[in-house]
């Protein structure tokens, strides 16, 4: 039963790459559609806010549908949306092309792991979920730089066109090889899951994810623009820099996975502290190849680790409803992505690209302070339970 799991992992790579690929393409999209880079950055905000606002509710609703036709339909929707993006004549059509996949991403992401467990059985649950997670990690690590290199070679529209073909191919593979699985049990109602939101501790964890992702994407959304305009790199070199940024993220994923099992909040604090140092050091290091590489490496390791740490942290905070907690992290993280892209655009317009690192570090510093508060609150919450 390994092939269906690998196909779900590969489909997850396509789904997440569709969200993040635009980060490396923003300068090219802005030039071609005749808008500013901050205006193009609102496409990131649109996608992320849609996931944040609707993700948990869409996931809860579609959880009762049969998985195989649901996943195939989502991938077909992604194929259509990426085709539309490749043909978009203006920013409005591009916005609609980004809205559609934002509706399907949280449903796929939240239900794919559950489906993998249903395929292999609970005794192999850990390994199945790890394989699904690998596709998601690869999307965050390699999706953006590969898209940037494709864009530099053949234009940004070709990156979306290739994604459309890949999504269609994976829909066909799932149709052939994914076995039919049972619909999730309805014993855990939406109402009982929403009761998690009455817990101040859970709200604190969600806000922590919002702050962490806001800090990440205040600067990361415009990293390609920083490397083009401030470092003077061409599109090919930017693509390879983003590839290196993603490659070191595999180290962060491994380190984050080890630390989060010991103490999720301490892991969040440690990697956030490293990220602050890297973000603040990036601009002063922009004309030194060695210093720039070091700053980007530390940033890349910390960012990848925080993706994993945030996801596991919320699931551990709600052990009785981990799937719904994961959907809340997806929502909170995407709210942060959208907020970060929006704040970053405002910072560029008001203070310039050179100030992005400090604005991003401000969000991350707030996340550290909140994590410290949650550490002191946790014993009291447990005692009162």
């Amino acid at each position: 039963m390994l092939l269906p799991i690998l196909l779900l992992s590969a489909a997850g790579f396509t789904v997440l790459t569709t969200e993040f690929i635009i980060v490396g393409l923003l300068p090219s999209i802005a030039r071609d559609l005749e808008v500013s880079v901050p205006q193009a950055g609102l496409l990131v905000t649109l996608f992320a806010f849609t996931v944040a606002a609707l993700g948990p509710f869409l996931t809860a609703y579609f959880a009762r549908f049969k998985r195989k036709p649901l996943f195939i339909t989502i991938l077909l929707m992604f194929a259509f949306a990426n085709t539309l993006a490749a043909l978009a004549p203006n920013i409005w059509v591009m916005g609609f092309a980004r809205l559609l996949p934002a509706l399907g991403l949280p449903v796929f992401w939240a239900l794919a792991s559950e489906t993998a467990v249903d395929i292999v059985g609970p005794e192999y649950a850990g390994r199945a979920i790890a394989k699904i997670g690998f596709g998601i990690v690869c999307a965050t690590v390699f999706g953006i730089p590969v898209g940037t290199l494709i864009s530099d070679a053949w234009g940004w529209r070709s990156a979306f066109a290739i994604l459309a073909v890949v999504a269609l191919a994976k829909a066909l593979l799932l149709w052939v090889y994914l076995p039919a699985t049972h619909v999730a049990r309805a014993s855990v109602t939406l109402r009982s899951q929403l009761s998690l939101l009455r817990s101040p501790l859970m709200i604190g964890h969600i806000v922590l994810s919002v702050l962490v992702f806001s800090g990440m994407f205040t600067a990361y959304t415009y990293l390609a623009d920083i490397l083009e305009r401030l470092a003077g790199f061409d599109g090919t070199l930017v693509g390879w820099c983003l590839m290196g940024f993603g490659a070191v993220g595999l180290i962060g994923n491994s380190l984050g996975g080890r630390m989060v099992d010991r103490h999720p909040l301490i892991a969040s604090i440690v990697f956030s502290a490293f990220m602050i140092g890297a973000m603040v050091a990036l601009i002063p290091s922009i004309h030194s190849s060695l210093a720039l590489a070091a700053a980007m490496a530390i940033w890349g390791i910390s960012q990848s680790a925080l993706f994993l740490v945030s996801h596991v942290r919320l699931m551990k905070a709600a052990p009785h409803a981990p799937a719904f907690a994961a959907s809340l992290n997806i929502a909170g993280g995407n709210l942060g992505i959208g907020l970060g892209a929006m704040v970053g655009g405002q910072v560029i317009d008001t203070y310039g690209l050179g100030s992005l690192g400090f604005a991003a570090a401000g969000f991350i510093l707030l996340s550290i302070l909140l994590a410290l508060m949650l550490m002191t609150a946790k014993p009291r919450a447990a005692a009162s339970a």
Side-chain angles (χ1 to χ4, degrees):
M1 302 300 285
L2 179 61
L3 180 58
I5 306 299
L6 293 178
L7 287 175
L8 282 175
S9 180
F13 172 84
T14 303
V15 167
L16 267 292
T17 298
T18 296
E19 177 175 13
F20 293 124
I21 193 173
I22 196 170
V23 169
L25 309 181
L26 282 181
S28 300
I29 291 173
R31 285 191 294 267
D32 193 34
L33 299 184
E34 298 180 346
V35 295
S36 67
V37 172
Q39 286 174 324
L42 291 176
L43 295 169
V44 178
T45 299
L46 172 66
F47 195 111
F49 280 1
T50 301
V51 173
L54 301 177
F57 305 101
L58 288 171
T59 300
Y61 177 77
F62 283 104
R64 55 185 174 172
F65 285 72
K66 293 182 178 179
R67 298 295 186 261
K68 181 172 180 176
L70 177 63
F71 291 153
I72 291 172
T73 301
I74 289 173
L75 285 169
L76 290 175
M77 183 171 68
F78 271 69
F80 172 75
N82 283 318
T83 300
L84 189 61
L87 300 173
N90 54 55
I91 194 69
W92 302 106
V93 175
M94 190 67 182
F96 180 69
R98 298 297 292 168
L99 177 65
L100 289 177
L103 300 174
L105 180 144
V107 178
F108 183 92
W109 192 358
L111 297 179
S113 295
E114 180 187 69
T115 302
V117 174
D118 193 36
I119 291 173
V120 303
E123 64 272 19
Y124 298 107
R127 278 173 277 187
I129 293 174
K131 289 181 174 64
I132 298 296
F134 182 73
I136 294 171
V137 169
C138 285
T140 61
V141 168
F142 297 114
I144 294 172
V146 169
T148 304
L149 292 172
I150 291 172
S151 172
D152 188 62
W154 300 299
W156 66 268
R157 295 180 186 276
S158 64
F160 285 106
I162 291 173
L163 260 181
V165 173
V166 171
L168 180 60
K170 289 178 181 176
L172 293 173
L173 288 172
L174 288 181
W175 180 60
V176 174
Y177 294 107
L178 184 66
T181 56
H182 298 294
V183 177
R185 299 181 187 91
S187 57
V188 181
T189 64
L190 177 60
R191 183 176 179 179
S192 67
Q193 294 177 79
L194 288 175
S195 67
L196 286 173
L197 297 177
R198 292 201 297 265
S199 165
L201 189 62
M202 177 59 67
I203 295 296
H205 276 284
I206 297 170
V207 173
L208 180 55
S209 288
V210 173
L211 289 173
V212 167
F213 280 81
S214 294
M216 286 183 191
F217 282 84
T218 293
Y220 186 54
T221 302
Y222 304 99
L223 181 56
D225 200 31
I226 290 173
L227 295 175
E228 280 193 15
R229 288 206 278 157
L230 297 187
F233 295 167
D234 61 21
T236 301
L237 188 53
V238 168
W240 285 112
C241 285
L242 293 176
M243 181 72 78
F245 185 99
V248 298
L250 293 174
I251 301 173
N253 184 67
S254 176
L255 293 175
R258 295 176 185 179
M259 286 192 66
V260 75
D261 280 335
R262 298 189 184 97
H263 202 304
L265 287 169
I266 289 178
S268 184
I269 291 169
V270 169
F271 288 112
S272 292
F274 277 107
M275 180 175 282
I276 287 176
M279 286 177 163
V280 171
L282 184 72
I283 300 301
S285 306
I286 204 76
H287 296 299
S288 168
S289 299
L290 185 60
L292 179 62
M296 288 189 64
I298 295 172
W299 183 0
I301 290 171
S302 302
Q303 178 156 309
S304 181
L306 284 168
F307 266 99
L308 176 64
V309 167
S310 297
H311 199 67
V312 175
R313 174 176 50 77
L314 252 89
M315 295 179 73
K316 284 179 175 288
H320 300 299
F324 187 69
S327 74
L328 292 174
N329 178 65
I330 295 168
N334 276 274
L335 178 60
I337 291 171
L339 181 62
M342 192 164 55
V343 170
Q346 289 297 314
V347 170
I348 292 172
D349 285 339
T350 306
Y351 303 105
L353 274 170
S355 300
L356 278 179
F358 291 99
F363 278 115
I364 302 298
L365 180 59
L366 288 176
S367 79
I368 291 176
L369 296 176
L370 178 56
L372 290 171
M373 292 174 60
L374 291 173
M375 287 177 66
T376 62
K378 190 171 185 179
R380 286 197 290 269
S384 64

